[in-house]
Amino acid sequence: MKRTPRQAPAERGVPRRGLAWQPWSVVAVYVVAASVWVLVSDRIVRVSVGNAGTAEAFASAKGLVFVAITAGLLYLLLRHLGREALMRRVLPTTVFESAGFGIAISDAHSRRLIAVNQAFAQARGRRRGDFAGWPVARLFPEDREADLRRLIDSLDEGEHGVMESENLRADGSHFPVRIDATVVRDAAGAARYCIAFVFDLSESRKTEQALADSERRYRDLFDHSPIGKLVCDGERIVMANERASDMFRAGAPAQLVGRSLLELVPESRRGVVLGRLERFRDTGEPVPLQQDRALRLDGQEIDVEFMASPLLEGGRRLMHVILQDVSERSALEREIIEISTAEQARIGREIHDGICQQLLATNLMVLGLERRMARDGADAQPLDSLRQIAAQIEQALGQARALANGSAPVHIDAASLQASLQAMAASAISTYGVPCELEFSGDAQGMDQVTATHLYRIAQEAVANAAKHAHASRIEIRLEAHGPAFSLRVEDDGVGLPEADPAWGHLGLSIMRYRARIIGASLGFLSRPGGGTQVRCERDGATP
């Protein structure tokens, strides 16, 4: 049924204007009621009672009854007017009704509810009218009555009280609440009412529990991870897990917390690590996976593989470091590289001492035969054939020598690195049929022999891959060296690396990565299908 304009305010709990009691209306009602009572009661007495004494007594009793009834009606009316005045004076009706949290008004002496708003009733699964005259204690479970007593005591001592407790729903279930209560006093200072703002904490408690569960799961994953984990605020360690504690021989994670990250780095690498920390602080960019040296608390150095990513907590940007001890793997890689290098050298020596010598002897025999046949006056055609055979043998001998020198190059160090790379670039045309150019800049005098050897091998493998697998028609080698720091680029114009797993030269790529890790360098590949490939091997100023 459609509501009329007069019905709508009443349904929202706002008193209708026609029911607003004013002082003159109270007096008018009283005068009318008293006049009617006097006229009607006197006539009833005269008609029904003939004895004058009895009529007088009855009239007195009638007057007393009238006084009692009118006094009761006036009490109820004034009490109603007092509540309406309270609502108008303390809480605007619109605020009371539209508040998204519960509001309850109770009598300060009887501790009984006078009025509640819709949000208060809905939170408890009841209608607003159900709470009329309820003792406040009925809102609380029995085991929470002590909370109510503490709130009442705090209100008695002052004007305001706050507490967290539990309330009851209509189905008997409990739910958490926060109560903010205030005492309202009359002009004489006596406590008249108590207004309580009641907030349902069910959703916030669920959110808090979800956050606590999430934090607990994260902590479990962090603590029991098989990989070492550190959380750093700047360079200071604020969290560490068991694996990191074992890795650095700390005894317990707490012995790492509070230390500087630089304490876990060899002195020769601290400048590099400090630079990484400053870049992370300025940019917040993740640190990609790479290998470096670390220092245990007992002074032993180890090889570690690590990466770092930002972690936001409480408005702060922390650094989450994941690291793993790869000392055994690095030792195995070095052993594999050494075995591979030794095997290549052995094959080179066998080619040089075996095949090359046999080709040389065969070539000399062919040339000797050609000279004897020429002296004997042999025909030109056989002589031309012998000369062609000699030329083919000479070409095969050159390729064999180049292959032998590539597999077992001369002793490589900082002084001979440029010459060795130049010789390799020059032999590319005869070995692979691809022109190769070298551009060398800087000074490599501060580079150790191990680094120089591995750099040569990385460049050699990159050139071989470009020629044999990328089908390049041009190869460029660029090396910029400044003492122990270097930047090596090997570029080609071939077909590029496949987008899928690059099957071409996969063993060679793995060996290149091993060599880069051994010398503390980063190795990367930049490739566009059909646009060539660039192999980058770089190391900053500190030695590994």
Side-chain angles (χ1 to χ4, degrees):
M1 183 176 64
K2 185 175 180 180
R3 296 179 302 171
T4 65
R6 292 179 60 84
Q7 290 173 328
E11 292 174 0
R12 293 195 302 268
V14 180
R16 292 197 299 268
R17 187 175 182 84
L19 294 180
W21 292 88
Q22 301 297 332
W24 65 266
S25 61
V26 174
V27 174
V29 169
Y30 181 80
V31 170
V32 171
S35 299
V36 170
W37 174 260
V38 171
L39 294 175
V40 173
S41 60
D42 286 347
R43 182 174 294 276
I44 292 174
V45 169
R46 285 195 300 269
V47 172
S48 58
V49 180
N51 185 285
T54 303
E56 184 179 354
F58 189 81
S60 299
K62 173 201 65 170
L64 293 175
V65 170
F66 175 75
V67 170
I69 293 175
T70 55
L73 291 175
L74 283 175
Y75 169 78
L76 294 176
L77 179 60
L78 292 175
R79 183 174 178 179
H80 171 73
L81 292 175
R83 292 176 182 175
E84 293 293 324
L86 173 70
M87 296 292 291
R88 290 194 298 271
R89 179 166 58 91
V90 180
L91 287 175
T93 304
T94 54
V95 175
F96 183 78
E97 295 299 332
S98 62
F101 50 86
I103 303 176
I105 302 175
S106 63
D107 184 85
H109 301 289
S110 65
R111 310 293 184 190
R112 290 181 176 273
L113 293 175
I114 297 173
V116 300
N117 69 345
Q118 188 64 28
F120 185 94
Q122 286 180 347
R124 289 151 185 79
R126 295 181 181 275
R127 295 175 301 176
R128 293 175 59 184
D130 295 343
F131 295 95
W134 266 30
V136 174
R138 188 174 172 183
L139 300 172
F140 293 81
E142 292 183 1
D143 58 349
R144 291 288 186 168
E145 290 181 358
D147 295 341
L148 177 60
R149 285 195 295 271
R150 284 193 295 271
L151 178 62
I152 293 174
D153 292 341
S154 64
L155 292 176
D156 290 340
E157 294 174 1
E159 302 291 330
H160 186 253
V162 179
M163 74 166 184
E164 289 191 6
S165 185
E166 290 183 352
N167 273 187
L168 286 170
R169 289 194 173 94
D171 59 5
S173 61
H174 300 188
F175 67 101
V177 293
R178 180 167 62 87
I179 303 174
D180 190 331
T182 301
V183 173
V184 178
R185 300 182 181 275
D186 58 18
R192 295 294 305 277
Y193 305 102
C194 177
I195 301 177
F197 301 94
V198 186
F199 301 89
D200 187 348
L201 301 181
S202 301
E203 292 301 323
S204 62
R205 290 289 173 83
K206 289 179 181 178
T207 303
E208 292 173 1
Q209 186 62 42
L211 289 174
D213 292 342
S214 177
E215 183 177 354
R216 186 181 65 254
R217 287 193 296 268
Y218 170 77
R219 187 73 196 202
D220 289 342
L221 290 173
F222 183 88
D223 289 338
H224 302 105
S225 172
I227 299 175
K229 292 190 175 186
L230 301 173
V231 176
C232 302
D233 186 358
E235 67 177 60
R236 187 173 62 88
I237 300 173
V238 296
M239 287 179 64
N241 70 347
E242 291 286 349
R243 185 67 187 94
S245 173
D246 295 340
M247 186 184 306
F248 291 102
R249 302 290 190 266
Q255 295 186 19
L256 292 178
V257 174
R259 292 179 179 268
S260 169
L261 191 62
L262 298 178
E263 295 182 43
L264 307 180
V265 178
E267 188 173 354
S268 61
R269 300 293 295 167
R270 287 178 183 173
V272 178
V273 174
L274 188 58
R276 289 174 183 152
L277 290 172
E278 291 175 351
R279 286 195 297 272
F280 182 87
R281 180 196 61 198
D282 295 338
T283 65
E285 295 179 356
V287 179
L289 183 67
Q290 52 191 280
Q291 188 169 324
D292 209 328
R293 302 283 287 172
L295 184 67
R296 286 174 170 161
L297 297 186
D298 59 8
Q300 180 185 358
E301 291 191 16
I302 58 174
D303 292 316
V304 295
E305 198 172 63
F306 72 94
M307 62 184 300
S309 59
L311 176 66
L312 296 179
E313 181 179 303
R316 296 182 302 162
R317 185 170 63 199
L318 306 180
M319 183 172 65
H320 184 199
V321 183
I322 299 175
L323 65 166
Q324 189 170 9
D325 185 354
V326 294
S327 300
E328 294 184 2
R329 190 185 74 185
S330 297
L332 182 59
E333 289 174 358
R334 292 189 184 96
E335 185 177 353
I336 292 173
I337 294 298
E338 291 171 0
I339 293 173
S340 173
T341 302
E343 184 64 14
Q344 287 181 355
R346 184 188 66 79
I347 294 174
R349 287 192 299 270
E350 289 184 358
I351 292 174
H352 182 273
D353 298 338
I355 295 176
C356 288
Q357 299 306 319
Q358 292 176 4
L359 288 174
L360 178 60
T362 303
N363 192 40
L364 291 175
M365 291 173 62
V366 171
L367 291 175
L369 178 59
E370 185 266 335
R371 284 194 294 269
R372 287 194 300 272
M373 290 179 65
R375 287 196 302 268
D376 294 342
D379 294 336
Q381 184 175 359
L383 293 176
D384 289 340
S385 297
L386 287 174
R387 292 188 188 98
Q388 292 176 7
I389 292 173
Q392 292 291 329
I393 294 174
E394 183 68 29
Q395 184 179 359
L397 179 60
Q399 292 178 353
R401 284 173 175 168
L403 182 60
N405 290 334
S407 299
V410 295
H411 178 75
I412 299 177
D413 55 19
S416 63
L417 177 59
Q418 182 177 359
S420 299
L421 290 173
Q422 187 65 58
M424 179 184 67
S427 66
I429 186 67
S430 60
T431 305
Y432 306 112
V434 179
C436 182
E437 297 180 0
L438 172 67
E439 182 181 322
F440 189 97
S441 61
D443 182 10
Q445 291 303 316
M447 189 179 298
D448 59 275
Q449 178 185 346
V450 173
T451 300
T453 301
H454 285 299
L455 263 187
Y456 174 87
R457 291 297 188 184
I458 290 172
Q460 182 185 44
E461 184 66 34
V463 169
N465 282 336
K468 294 189 293 185
H469 303 291
H471 308 295
S473 61
R474 179 184 56 81
I475 303 173
E476 295 180 358
I477 303 174
R478 294 188 178 90
L479 178 60
E480 182 180 354
H482 299 283
F486 59 80
S487 174
L488 173 67
R489 299 282 194 278
V490 180
E491 300 182 20
D492 65 68
D493 61 352
V495 298
L497 286 170
E499 293 184 1
D501 183 24
W504 64 270
H506 65 280
L507 180 59
L509 295 179
S510 298
I511 293 176
M512 290 167 67
R513 291 190 180 96
Y514 296 156
R515 292 186 185 277
R517 282 201 291 265
I518 288 173
I519 60 177
S522 62
L523 184 72
F525 302 91
L526 179 62
S527 176
R528 297 185 304 275
T533 302
Q534 182 189 82
V535 178
R536 305 187 305 272
C537 184
E538 299 174 315
R539 191 178 76 187
D540 50 33
T543 57

